[in-house]
Each structure stands twice: as C-alpha cells, then as structure tokens.
C-alpha cells in the first residue's frame, strides 16, 4: 500500500484537532467561531469563514465544495467556490442558513437532499427540498453516529453503546440492542446488512444490525508490522484489567519509535473503496466526525481500517489481511494519528488526520492498494494552514453577517403568541389610574442540589453500636443484606421465604417482599435504587418494586417470558441474581451456566401495576458448577467473577465471550461467596481498586486476589464451619468477617500483617455489609435482628 502525502500543516493553539473534515478539493478545521478552509492546490488562497457566534462543534463536506458547519446557534452551508470568488473580489463570503437554534451537533451526515443531524440525545432529519424537519427521540446518551440506510430506515449509535433502528414513517424505534465492549467505540461504518465498529482497544467488531448479533471480532493491531523491540511488561497480554488501561504521551513529550509500546492503538476510521466508474458518488466517509456513505453504492470488497499507528487493508468478506503499513515501521516520517476523517477521490481515498503530540494536520492519499513495500511514502509539500498575520480590526470580514431566510420548521423552540388586548394602556378604575402595578414573577427551576457529603479520609472503623432493628416476627435468620446507593434503604433477605426493605435510619415504613417459596440467598439493588432483585432456593429469581413491594418480573424460565421464547424452567436453584452493566442486563448462574437476560420494565396503559419482560440473550457454559457469582454494576465492566465446584475461581470476559482467567485450587473447598469492589460515588477510588476481588469458603481463610495477575495478595486467617458472608468497607481499608464466637472480626487490609484489629461482640451472626456512604456496618443475626455500628 503506497501513501502520497499531500499536506503537512501546522495548527494554531485555538484550532480544535477533533473538528476537521476533508474532501477531494479542500480540508477544513474549526478555529473557535471561525472555519479555516484550505484548497489542496497550494496556488489558491486559503479561506476564513466567519458566521457563527458560538464555537463550531462539527464540520462535514456534503460535496467536494459544499461544507456544512454547526454550532449551538445555527447550522450553516458554505459554497466554497462562491466563497473563493467573493474573496478574490475583496468581498466577504456569506453562508446559507439551514437552521437556527438547533443546538450543538455531535454528528452530521447527508444523503442527497437530506441532512441528518445528531444533537445530544436527539436526531433531526432536515429535508432541504421540501423544507420539513422531523425529530427522533429515545436515546439516553449522546448520539455519536446516525446513518440513513434506506428512505424509511435510520440506524443510530449512542455513547452508551446502544444501537437503534428507526422507522421514519412510524417515527419510532423498531429495534434496540445493547452492544458489549470493554472499550468505547471510536469509529463506525455501515454497509448493506453489515455494521463495522472500531473500538479504542484496537478491536474490529462486525455486527448484524437486524438482530444485534456479533459475527466476528478481530484484533486489527496484530495486522500491523511488528517493531523490532521487546514488549513492555505493562502491555502483557496475560494480564487482564477490570477497566481499560491506556497510556498516552503528553503534548510536551517528544515522540520516538522506541516509545511505541506505550501508545494505545485505536481504530479511528473504517471505510470501503468505491468504484467510481459504476457510480458517480465520491463520498464514503464513515467516522464519528464526518458523514455516512450515500445510498446504493457499488462497493468493492476492500475494507480500509486506520489505526493510531498505521493503516490496514482487509478483505471485507473474510476479513483477511491484504496489505498494511505502519507509521512507525514503514514510514517513520509520519506522525501518529489522533483524529481521522476520510473522503474518496476516484479509487484513491484521501485521509486527513491530526497528531496529538506535534499539533500538525496531515493529508494523505492512498495511491494504490497493493503489497508493494517500495517507496511507501513520498513527501509532496509542506505548508502552513493559517495565515501568519491576524485579520485587521477594520477588515470587512468582521462585519455582521446578513440575515438569510430560514427553512420552515427548523426552529428548535417557538415562543407562544401573546395577545395585546384591546389597547396598549393599562386597565383603570375611578381615582386609581393603575389598578395593579405588580408584575408576575416567573419561577426559575433550580437544579437539584448535589449531596455535599464526602466519606471521611481519617480512620473510620465502625465499633460503636447505634441501633437495632427487628425485621422478623418469627425470629428468622438473616441470610443477605444490601445497602442502596445512597444508604437510605436496606434490603434484607430472610430464611422464612420473605424479604423486607427498611427505610433508614429509623427503619419505619418497611416494605415486605413476599412471593418466594424458599429461603432467600441473595439480594441486590439497581443503580437508581428503584428495583430489588432476589434469588431463593426455589429455582427462581424475582425483581421487585422497592417503593411498593409489588412483583415486577418473575424469572423462572431459561429463555425468557416473551412470545418467541420457550418456557423451559430451571432444573436447579439459581445463584447470585445481579443487575449488570448499569442495569442493562440481569445476570444469573444455573448449574455450570452463566445466563444473561435483557430486562425491560413497562407500565401498561389500562393498569396501575408495573410489569417486566425478560429475554435470554447469552448462555455461557463453564467446566464446573458455579457456587458463587459477583459482578460490577456501577460502571461498564465486562468481567464476571465466579466460584466453581472444583475449588477454583474463574474470571469470565463477556467482551471476548470466553474465560479470561482461571485460578485453580483457590480454596480447600468450593467458594461459597465472592465479591468485587463496586465502588461508591462518595469515595474517590483509584482505578486499580476495581481489580481487587475477595473470596471465602468453609474451613478456609478469606483471601484477596488481584484480577490482573491471578495471584493472592493477602490471606486472613478466620476459619468458620458455617458459610458466613464477609464484607469490604467502602474505603477499601477494613474487612469484616463474622465469627463463630458471636463477634465480628475486623481486619486492616492495608496493614503489614493479617491480625485482627478489633472485635465487635454481638449475637450469632451470618452476614455483614458496609454502607457505601457512611462509615457504618450492618450485621444480620440468626434471630432476625439487624444491628448497626458506627465509628463514633
């Protein structure tokens, strides 16, 4: 693959490296409220386009000389050929106002006379021929990609990895899928019935958008030519992380090929080669900062993938390597890519990308796609993108822009019409010229106040008894405890087949959870503390409304309860019901299988009762039966920790859909409890804290493990003949272990030894849990009493 360097431009301090766009004739970059457009022909003068009153948020070339620019105040269209004619005549180029007050765009794409605009969570479709505007609302996060796949279908992707397929006639979402990835998606390309997604960890995901099924997943970074140097220990493939770990160079650091191992390779752009002889469209841009391919393209089976340190050419059908070039190995004169935009000129794609380290803009042309390695790079020219002297204060370029009529229906908000009455004078009465001089004050809605509470940094070990609450009239043992995120509610699982939700701190207005036919074994909260999920020894898992205690969903079938699912009941008891991936899924364990369900809660129109639906989307089998289960729900993590019946621990990665790590002989018996550090919004945790897991078994020590290396970092000698549940404090400093001597044993995790720091004498207890907000410990006893301990 040969590269021809068309431009190497230096950027100013105010120019945004993310907001760039390129065509076969021009390259444009945002400079605050101004747009700098330079023709690839160095003999022509650069253009500075002024018309926005707010900073430009997005640029897009709908044609080689037609540029769309968006800001929070307006959406403008620039004809660069007419703008060049105006500049040569010493006149100011004027734009065409497409819309006013639409908001800052996060993505722009064009198909014929239609402009598709993404503004935060909404999608707007502007028809410039008919002058109409349609809105699509439904995403809960910012839309980063939207593309019209047919005249009545639009596909969109948001920053929370939610994919939707819209119907323009019905103005609603037909299907919705949640895509699993440990790293955020950085580029998208849609081709007929295939969706290509590139992530920040250098992986290429291939999906079928109609069903949301992932067809393939390959590591594009392995296709680049390897450097002749050893791999850094921090980039060892045998080490896994609970959160993505990345290292970047700072702006002041100078880059050299020796430091290539610390640079993370991200997939920045994906596109295909268009045969222009069969189609006259030259647009094939498919990255987050540019548009989408036009309809009915004749596309060859050549897929181009641009990474941070190179370019890879693949066969789009088999995804096999055809050719590749590395900026570090084959072309050391080229900088690393940071933000990439692409445009197709005949059969040679044109790329424009910026470099984070040297603040340069480079424009490349892939002259031919072959395996020829000779003369990979030829430098054509170097030139400055911006003028050396600023504009004069009296220049006509800084005069106000003339107003141009706006297309009907593009206004984001319309003010209500006010009646003037019969006269402009105030209403009068005898001897009182003005009856009312008071004006109505409009109430301004204030934003909700944030909780100013911060978890104390000093030693805060709970040791003083504060309160006791009786949760069972039958003196039933407490099997499970769980605090809500704000510690204002506590869910309790009892052995008398019931549960209860306590309102703290008084424990009044408790909500009973009645419906199980066996002792409760696990209780968990949703992120917003609206729902509670419970599992029991009755082969079922239930989701409850925390405010009313009504049953929302009864999970007792392996495939789900929708119309298309088979009604196959569980053969044995379920283990560890968890809300997973920030309440997107429900995770269960059954025998040796991990079951992942998609859960949806809806309220019927003619009923006050809230109903829930669930559907099984993934079944993963392990080698042995699962005895304990844990996962993180407060952030996006694809790792799940399992305790197996062969005395080992298993780390399962849903991103790879395979077992990432196996720790054999972790305990002398099968682990009955595992836990992860889910974190709290009141404690600023280090990212490495989430790599810590805890496990315990009967007649064995409580152990702490590092999920990256699979090694035991600390062991606490507290052996019990009964399956008790220990807990790690919110500050990740203390470990509470229930003992058979009617006491809670507190260990210091950060201490040099594993001795007991203190004992809390209490009743015969089975479970403990720390509050995520306060230095408080809740202890559940066999007599149906929950005791709370504070640090003072």
């Amino acid at each position: 693959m040969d590269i021809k360097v068309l431009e190497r431009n230096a950027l100013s301090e105010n120019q945004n490296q993310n907001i760039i766009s390129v065509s076969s004739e021009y390259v444009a970059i945002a400079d605050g409220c101004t747009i700098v457009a330079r023709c690839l022909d160095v003999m022509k003068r650069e253009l500075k386009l002024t018309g926005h009153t707010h900073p430009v948020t997005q640029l897009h070339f709908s044609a080689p000389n037609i540029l769309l620019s968006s800001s929070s105040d307006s959406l403008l269209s620039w004809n660069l050929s007419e703008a060049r004619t105006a500049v040569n005549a010493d006149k100011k180029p004027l734009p065409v106002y497409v819309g006013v007050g639409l908001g800052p765009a996060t993505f722009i794409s064009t198909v014929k006379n239609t402009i598709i605009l993404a503004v935060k969570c909404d999608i707007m479709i502007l028809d410039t021929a008919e002058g109409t505007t349609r809105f699509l609302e439904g995403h809960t996060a910012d839309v980063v990609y939207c593309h019209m796949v047919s005249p009545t279908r639009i596909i969109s992707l948001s920053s929370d990895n939610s994919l939707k397929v819209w119907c323009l006639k019905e103005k609603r979402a037909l299907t919705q899928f949640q895509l699993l990835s440990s790293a955020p998606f950085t580029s998208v390309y849609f081709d007929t019935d295939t969706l290509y997604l590139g992530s920040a960890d250098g992986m290429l995901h291939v999906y079928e958008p109609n069903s949301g099924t992932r067809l393939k997943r390959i590591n594009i970074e392995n296709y680049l030519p390897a450097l002749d140097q050893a791999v850094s220990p921090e980039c060892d493939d045998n080490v896994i992380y609970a959160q993505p770990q990345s290292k970047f160079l700072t702006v002041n650091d100078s880059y050299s090929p020796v430091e290539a191992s610390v640079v993370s390779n991200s997939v920045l752009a994906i596109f295909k080669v268009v045969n222009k002889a069969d189609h006259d469209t030259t647009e094939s841009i498919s990255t987050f900062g540019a548009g989408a391919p036009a309809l009915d393209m004749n596309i060859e089976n050549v897929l181009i993938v641009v990474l941070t340190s190179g370019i890879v050419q693949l066969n789009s059908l088999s995804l096999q390597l055809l050719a590749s070039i590395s900026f570090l190995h084959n072309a050391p004169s080229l900088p690393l890519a940071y933000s990439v935009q692409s445009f197709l000129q005949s059969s040679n794609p044109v790329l424009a990308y910026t470099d984070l380290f040297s603040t340069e803009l480079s424009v490349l042309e892939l002259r031919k796609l072959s395996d020829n390695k000779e003369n990979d790079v030829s430098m054509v020219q170097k030139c400055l993108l911006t003028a050396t002297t600023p504009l004069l204060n009296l220049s006509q370029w800084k005069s106000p822009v003339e107003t141009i009529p706006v297309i009907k229906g593009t206004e984001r908000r319309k003010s209500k019409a006010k009646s003037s009455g019969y006269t402009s004078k105030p209403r009068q009465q005898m001897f009182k010229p003005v009856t009312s001089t008071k004006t109505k004050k409009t109430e301004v809605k204030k934003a909700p106040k944030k909780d100013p509470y911060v978890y104390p940094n000093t030693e805060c070990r709970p040791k003083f008894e504060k309160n006791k609450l009786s949760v069972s009239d039958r003196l039933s043992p407490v099997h499970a405890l769980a605090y809500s995120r704000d510690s204002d509610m506590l869910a309790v699982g009892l052995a008398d087949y019931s549960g209860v939700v306590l309102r703290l701190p008084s424990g009044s207005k408790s909500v009973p959870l009645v419906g199980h036919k066996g002792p409760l074994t696990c209780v968990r909260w949703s992120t917003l503390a609206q729902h509670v999920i419970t599992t029991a020894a009755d082969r079922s898992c239930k989701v409850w409304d925390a405010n009313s205690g009504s049953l929302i969903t009864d999970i007792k079938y392996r495939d789900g309860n929708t119309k298309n699912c088979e009604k196959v009941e569980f053969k044995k008891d379920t283990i560890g019901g968890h809300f997973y991936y920030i309440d997107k899924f429900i995770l269960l364990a059954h025998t040796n299988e991990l079951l992942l369900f998609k859960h949806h809660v809806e309220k019927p129109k003619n009923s006050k009762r809230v109903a829930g639906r669930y559907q099984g989307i993934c079944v993963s089998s392990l080698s042995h039966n699962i005895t304990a289960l844990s996962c993180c729900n407060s952030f996006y993590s694809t790792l799940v920790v399992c305790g197996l019946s062969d005395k080992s621990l298993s780390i399962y990665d849903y991103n790879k859909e395979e077992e990432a790590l196996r720790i054999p002989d972790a305990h002398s018996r099968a682990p009955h409890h595992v836990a992860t550090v889910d974190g709290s919004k009141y404690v600023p945790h280090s990212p490495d804290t989430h790599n810590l897991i805890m496990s315990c078994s009967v007649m064995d020590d409580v152990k702490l493990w590092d999920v990256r290396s699979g090694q035991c970092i600390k062991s606490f000698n507290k052996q019990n003949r009964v399956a008790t549940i220990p807990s790690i404090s919110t500050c990740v400093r203390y470990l509470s272990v229930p003992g058979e001597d009617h006491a809670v044993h507190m260990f210091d995790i950060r201490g040099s030894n594993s001795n007991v720091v203190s004992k809390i004498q209490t009743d015969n207890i089975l479970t403990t849990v720390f509050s995520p907000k306060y230095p408080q410990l809740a202890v559940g006893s066999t007599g149906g009493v929950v005791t709370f301990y504070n640090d003072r």
Side-chain angles (χ1 to χ4, degrees):
M1 186 191 324
D2 292 345
I3 293 180
K4 179 181 180 181
V5 181
L6 301 180
E7 295 271 351
R8 286 286 296 276
N9 307 314
L11 305 181
S12 64
E13 296 180 356
N14 298 326
Q15 291 178 349
N16 196 326
Q17 294 176 303
N18 288 324
I19 308 175
I20 60 175
S21 186
V22 65
S23 70
S24 58
E25 299 180 6
Y26 289 90
V27 57
I29 187 167
D31 189 357
C33 302
T34 307
I35 304 169
V36 179
R38 179 172 179 82
C39 185
L40 297 181
D41 185 2
V42 295
M43 302 303 295
K44 296 182 180 180
R45 179 182 174 184
E46 66 180 11
L47 301 176
K48 284 197 174 183
L49 309 176
T50 58
H52 291 282
T53 58
H54 293 78
V56 178
T57 60
Q58 198 61 252
L59 295 174
H60 171 67
F61 275 99
S62 60
N65 60 344
I66 301 298
L67 177 65
L68 293 174
S69 62
S70 173
S71 65
S72 58
D73 59 340
S74 60
L75 176 65
L76 305 181
S77 175
W78 304 86
N79 190 323
L80 299 186
S81 300
E82 297 179 358
R84 181 166 300 281
T85 304
V87 170
N88 295 335
D90 294 334
K91 295 181 181 180
K92 180 181 178 180
L94 299 178
V96 175
Y97 278 71
V98 181
V100 176
L102 301 178
T106 56
F107 186 86
I108 303 176
S109 64
T110 56
V111 177
K112 297 182 180 179
N113 296 326
T114 304
I115 301 175
I116 306 172
L117 194 71
V119 180
K120 295 184 178 180
C121 302
D122 301 334
I123 302 174
M124 288 175 276
I125 298 97
L126 283 66
D127 194 333
T128 56
E130 299 179 359
T132 58
T133 304
R134 287 173 287 184
F135 296 90
L136 300 177
E137 299 178 353
H139 279 286
T140 58
D142 291 348
V143 178
V144 294
Y145 176 80
C146 52
H147 168 54
M148 181 177 288
V149 298
S150 70
T152 60
R153 292 289 189 272
I154 285 183
I155 186 172
S156 61
L157 179 68
S158 58
S159 58
D160 60 350
N161 296 350
S162 177
L163 180 70
K164 292 179 181 289
V165 180
W166 305 84
C167 179
L168 295 183
K169 290 184 178 180
E170 302 178 5
K171 294 183 180 180
R172 67 180 183 90
L174 297 179
T175 56
Q176 176 181 352
F177 310 102
Q178 190 69 29
L179 308 180
L180 290 177
S181 177
S182 61
F185 293 122
T186 53
S187 57
V188 180
Y189 181 82
F190 181 82
D191 172 34
T192 57
D193 294 333
T194 307
L195 181 67
Y196 299 92
L197 298 173
S199 56
D201 56 355
M203 306 300 296
L204 178 65
H205 308 257
V206 184
Y207 281 89
E208 202 279 317
N210 294 327
S211 62
T213 305
R214 184 164 65 186
L215 304 177
K216 290 184 180 181
R217 178 180 178 272
I218 59 176
N219 190 351
I220 302 295
E221 188 177 3
N222 295 335
Y223 289 158
L224 292 176
L227 298 179
D228 298 332
Q229 62 180 32
V231 180
S232 174
E234 300 181 1
C235 302
D236 190 0
D237 294 336
N238 297 325
V239 179
I240 61 175
Y241 298 89
Q243 286 185 331
Q245 306 288 325
S246 302
K247 294 188 66 177
F248 298 94
L249 299 180
T250 61
V251 178
N252 298 326
D253 293 340
S254 59
Y255 175 76
S256 63
V258 181
E259 300 172 347
S261 59
V262 301
V263 179
S264 177
N265 256 314
S266 302
V267 179
L268 302 178
I270 308 171
F271 57 93
K272 281 190 176 182
V273 177
V274 178
N275 190 353
K276 192 177 180 182
D278 298 333
H279 196 81
D280 56 356
T281 304
T282 60
E283 180 183 8
S284 76
I285 308 175
S286 298
T287 57
F288 277 171
L295 297 176
D296 300 328
M297 277 192 175
N298 185 7
I299 299 178
E300 298 179 355
N301 297 327
V302 176
L303 187 69
I304 304 297
V305 182
V306 183
L307 290 90
T308 305
S309 61
I311 303 174
V312 176
Q313 174 190 354
L314 302 175
N315 187 323
S316 61
L317 300 179
S318 61
L319 295 182
Q320 294 182 355
L321 177 65
L322 300 179
S324 65
I325 182 172
S326 174
F327 296 155
L328 307 176
H329 188 273
N330 295 70
S333 60
L334 289 178
L336 294 177
Y338 173 62
S339 177
V340 180
Q341 306 300 328
S342 57
F343 197 87
L344 203 90
Q345 181 185 17
S346 182
S347 60
N348 297 334
V350 177
L351 305 178
Y353 74 90
T354 56
D355 178 27
L356 180 63
F357 313 125
S358 59
T359 63
E360 289 185 350
L361 178 102
S362 303
V363 181
L364 309 178
E365 179 185 5
L366 301 182
R367 294 183 296 185
K368 59 180 179 179
L369 303 175
S370 63
D371 294 333
N372 185 14
K373 301 287 183 174
E374 298 179 359
N375 299 327
D376 290 332
V377 180
S378 59
M379 185 69 63
V380 177
Q381 56 190 331
K382 291 185 179 181
C383 53
L384 294 178
L385 182 64
T386 57
T388 55
T389 58
L391 294 176
L392 299 178
N393 294 330
L394 301 178
S395 174
Q396 60 178 351
W397 281 34
K398 293 193 175 183
S399 60
V401 181
E402 298 180 6
T403 58
I404 298 178
V406 183
I407 294 179
K408 182 180 180 181
T410 59
E411 297 85 355
R412 183 64 173 173
R413 296 179 181 176
K414 296 182 179 180
S415 59
K416 297 181 179 180
K418 298 181 180 179
S419 175
S420 60
Y422 295 99
T423 177
S424 60
K425 295 183 179 180
R427 182 166 55 91
Q428 297 181 357
Q429 289 184 359
M430 187 177 295
F431 307 114
K432 293 183 180 181
V434 181
T435 58
S436 178
T437 58
K438 296 181 180 180
T439 58
K440 295 183 179 180
K441 297 182 179 180
T442 58
E443 297 181 358
V444 180
K445 294 183 179 180
K446 297 182 179 179
K449 295 182 179 179
K450 296 183 179 180
D451 195 342
Y453 180 82
V454 179
Y455 199 89
N457 294 327
T458 57
E459 182 179 355
C460 47
R461 184 173 68 254
K463 51 187 175 181
F464 299 102
E465 182 178 338
K466 179 182 180 182
N467 191 11
K468 275 189 177 183
L469 297 177
S470 178
V471 295
S472 177
D473 297 335
R474 304 176 184 177
L475 302 180
S476 178
V478 177
H479 281 180
L481 294 173
Y483 273 101
S484 63
R485 188 179 182 185
D486 294 329
S487 298
D488 53 354
M489 290 181 289
L490 180 70
V492 184
L494 302 172
D496 60 354
Y497 307 172
S498 67
V500 64
V501 176
L502 302 176
R503 304 283 180 175
L504 301 181
S506 61
S508 60
K509 298 182 180 180
S510 60
V511 179
L513 307 177
V514 181
H516 279 289
K517 298 180 181 180
L520 273 67
T521 58
C522 181
V523 292
R524 290 291 184 272
W525 285 91
S526 63
T527 304
L528 299 179
Q530 297 178 350
H531 304 139
V532 178
I533 185 171
T534 60
T535 54
D538 58 353
R539 303 180 184 180
S540 70
C541 176
K542 301 181 185 295
V543 179
W544 311 83
D545 188 352
N547 296 322
S548 61
S550 59
L551 179 63
I552 297 177
T553 309
D554 187 4
I555 303 176
K556 55 183 180 180
Y557 302 113
R558 294 181 73 258
D559 298 330
N561 62 349
T562 58
K563 296 181 180 180
N564 300 327
C565 297
E566 298 181 2
K567 302 299 185 291
V568 180
E569 296 185 355
F570 295 114
K571 297 181 180 180
K572 293 186 178 181
D573 295 338
T574 57
I575 296 175
H578 287 72
F579 289 105
Y580 181 52
Y581 217 68
I582 311 187
D583 300 343
K584 298 293 182 182
F585 307 100
I586 289 179
L587 185 64
L588 280 177
H590 176 251
T591 61
N592 66 328
E593 297 176 339
L594 282 175
L595 306 177
L596 192 64
F597 297 95
K598 184 165 61 174
H599 185 244
H600 177 68
V601 179
E602 61 181 6
K603 185 177 182 180
K605 297 182 180 179
N606 300 328
S607 177
K608 295 182 180 180
R609 182 178 178 182
V610 179
R613 296 181 300 166
Y614 67 97
Q615 182 178 2
I617 60 175
C618 184
V619 178
S620 305
S621 299
L622 300 181
S623 59
H624 294 79
N625 289 345
I626 301 175
T627 58
L629 179 66
S630 181
C631 64
C632 293
N633 188 43
S634 62
F635 59 93
Y636 292 110
S637 175
T638 60
L639 297 184
V640 176
V641 183
C642 304
L644 303 182
S645 58
D646 63 341
K647 311 174 188 179
S648 64
L649 294 177
S650 174
I651 313 296
Y652 190 84
D653 190 355
Y654 268 105
N655 186 34
K656 299 181 180 179
E657 297 183 3
E658 63 182 13
E659 190 179 37
L661 179 65
R662 174 67 68 91
I663 306 175
D665 298 329
H667 291 276
S668 60
R669 299 189 181 185
H672 68 267
H673 178 71
V674 292
T676 57
V677 180
D678 205 354
S680 171
K681 64 179 181 180
Y682 301 99
V683 180
H685 284 305
S686 170
D688 294 334
T689 307
H690 301 287
N691 297 319
L692 185 69
I693 60 175
M694 176 192 66
S695 65
C696 61
S697 67
V698 178
M699 296 302 295
D700 200 357
D701 299 343
V702 179
K703 297 182 181 181
L704 297 180
W705 306 84
D706 191 346
V707 72
R708 295 168 294 184
S709 59
Q711 296 180 357
C712 179
I713 59 177
K714 209 160 193 179
S715 179
F716 301 94
N717 186 10
K718 186 55 190 160
Q719 300 178 0
N720 293 326
R721 292 174 294 177
V722 183
T724 59
I725 300 179
S727 177
I728 300 177
S729 64
T730 307
C731 58
V732 197
R733 181 169 183 177
Y734 300 106
L735 174 68
S736 63
V737 182
E740 296 178 352
D741 54 353
H742 295 191
V744 179
H745 299 259
M746 301 288 291
F747 296 91
D748 190 354
I749 297 177
R750 304 178 185 179
S752 58
N753 51 32
S754 301
N755 298 331
V756 178
V757 177
S758 62
K759 283 186 179 182
I760 302 176
Q761 292 298 136
T762 179
D763 300 331
N764 189 12
I765 56 178
L766 295 176
T767 178
T768 60
V769 63
F770 280 93
S771 168
K773 184 177 181 180
Y774 306 106
Q776 185 181 79
L777 178 67
V779 177
S781 66
T782 56
V785 177
V786 178
T787 309
F788 298 90
Y789 295 90
N790 284 11
D791 60 336
R792 61 183 68 181

